[in-house]
Amino acid sequence: MSTVFSQHAASVQWEPLPLPRLPGMAVWAWYRPPHLPTGILFRIPPELAAASPAGFPFSLLDLLTAAGIDPVRIHSASIFGGEWQPAAVLSGCLALAVPAVPPGAPAELAVNVSEDTGPPIAGGTVQPASAAPAVPGPPAHSAAVPAAQTEEQRLLYDRLESSWKNCVQMERQMTGLRQKLASMLNSLGKLDRDLTPEERLASDREDRDAWHDARRWIRDVSAKCHREIKSFDIGMTSAAGRRNVIEQYYEQVIAPRVPSAELDTIRRALETYRKDMTTLQAAMNAALQAAGQNGTQRAQRVLGTIRRKIKARRARMREAIGGTNIDRSVRRKS
C-alpha cells in the first residue's frame, strides 16, 4: 500500500482530493471515518454531479491513486450507498468510469482497505508500526481476525438488526390485520343464515339460488380467515413457532454485538423468518380482501335485491280499491 494512506491520520472534516489524471478536478475525501476505521469515503461535489448526468470522467482507480491506496489492498467497496462488493467483483471494473449518481442516492463511494500492521511478534499477535503501547485486545481466538473482516461483521450485525426491526414492524401490522380478520369473521357468521319467511316469499327462484351461492362463498372465505388467524396465533411466526428463538438470537447476539461463529446460521434463520412473516402478511391481506369482496359484498348485493322486492310487494299489497286503502292480506273473500 502506498505510504500516503497508511500514514494519513483520521480526518476530522472533509478534505479536498485532487485527481492527478484530471488537472483541475477534485473530490472530497474523509480518511478513516468512525464507522469505517480502515477505509475512506469519497464524496462527489454537487456541482460535479450536476454537470455529469451520464457518468463521470474518472474511475474508482483514479480515486484510489489520488488517495495513495494500492488497488491490491482493497477489501470491499460500496458505490453510492449500494451493497458492499468484495475485491474479486471489483477487480474487473476498477478502471471503468464511475456511473452517474442514482436519484435519491448519496454521492459517496466507500472503500474498505486491508492494512498492513507490521511484522508478527511472539504469540502470533501483530505489533503496530508506530510502536504504540500495548492495550488489552480481544480473546485469543479472534486476535488474528483482520480489521476488514471485523468491519464486514459489523455491517452484517447492522443488517441483522435491521431485518429484526422490520420483522417487529410487520408483526405490529399483522396484529391489526388479525383484529380486522376477527371482526370480518364475526360479520360473515351473522350473514351465514337462512332467508326469513318474508324474504323467501318476496324472492324468486333466481334470488334463492343466488343466496345459496353467496352462503357457499361466505363459508369458504370464513375458513380462509380462520386459517390465517390460526397461522398468526400458533404458526411458525408466532411465539409457539420460531419467534422466541429469533428474538433470543437478537437479544443475546445481535443487539450486544457478541462475536459468534454462528452468525451465518443466525442470518439464514432470520432471513427465513422474515420471508415467512412477509408471506403470512400477504396471505392475511388476501384473506381479508377476499372476505370483503366474495363474502360480505356478495351477500349484501343479494339481500339488497331481495329487500327491494319486499318493499315492492308491500306496496302492491296496500293498493287502494274503491277509494279505500286496505291491506289485501286482511281482506276476506266474498
Side-chain angles (χ1 to χ4, degrees), residues 22-262:
L22 300 170
M25 183 172 293
V27 298
W28 296 101
W30 192 301
Y31 292 81
R32 310 177 194 279
H35 69 284
L36 195 61
T38 61
I40 185 172
L41 283 180
F42 300 105
R43 173 175 289 180
I44 299 175
E47 59 275 12
L48 180 57
S52 306
F56 300 97
F58 53 82
S59 64
L60 182 57
L61 183 59
D62 291 326
L63 299 178
L64 297 175
T65 302
I69 300 174
D70 190 338
V72 300
R73 295 295 184 183
I74 296 179
H75 179 271
S76 56
S78 172
I79 310 299
F80 303 140
E83 290 290 333
W84 284 85
Q85 301 295 331
V89 175
L90 296 168
S91 59
C93 57
L94 286 178
L96 299 179
V98 175
V101 182
E108 294 180 359
L109 300 89
V111 177
N112 196 13
V113 182
S114 298
E115 294 193 81
D116 283 337
T117 54
I121 62 174
T125 57
V126 176
Q127 179 68 24
S130 59
V135 295
H141 69 273
S142 61
V145 177
Q149 183 177 349
T150 303
E151 174 63 19
E152 184 177 351
Q153 289 181 352
R154 187 194 68 79
L155 295 173
L156 177 58
Y157 279 118
D158 290 343
R159 288 196 294 269
L160 292 176
E161 184 172 9
S162 178
S163 295
W164 169 251
K165 290 181 179 179
N166 288 337
C167 290
V168 173
Q169 179 65 24
M170 282 191 291
E171 184 178 353
R172 295 194 188 102
Q173 295 172 356
M174 285 191 289
T175 300
L177 283 175
R178 191 219 180 275
Q179 295 175 351
K180 293 180 180 179
L181 285 172
S183 177
M184 178 63 71
L185 199 58
N186 184 51
S187 299
L188 293 172
K190 293 179 180 179
L191 287 173
D192 186 17
R193 61 174 178 82
D194 294 327
L195 294 175
T196 64
E198 186 178 23
E199 289 172 338
R200 287 198 302 270
L201 190 61
S203 61
D204 53 22
R205 178 62 179 271
E206 185 179 351
D207 295 328
R208 290 190 290 273
D209 289 344
W211 179 244
H212 290 319
D213 186 59
R215 290 188 67 184
R216 284 194 296 269
W217 277 101
I218 288 174
R219 288 190 288 269
D220 181 63
V221 296
S222 295
K224 292 180 180 178
C225 290
H226 184 268
R227 182 170 59 250
E228 300 308 331
I229 290 176
K230 186 176 180 181
S231 296
F232 177 75
D233 290 342
I234 60 174
M236 295 300 291
T237 56
S238 68
R242 293 197 309 268
R243 186 192 185 283
N244 289 348
V245 176
I246 302 299
E247 186 175 20
Q248 186 176 6
Y249 282 149
Y250 175 76
E251 293 178 349
Q252 297 182 2
V253 178
I254 300 174
R257 300 296 197 269
V258 175
S260 173
E262 299 181 354

Side-chain angles (χ1 to χ4, degrees), residues 276-291:
D276 290 343
M277 293 280 284
T278 303
T279 302
L280 177 58
Q281 185 179 29
M284 294 176 74
N285 275 312
L288 185 62
Q289 184 177 3

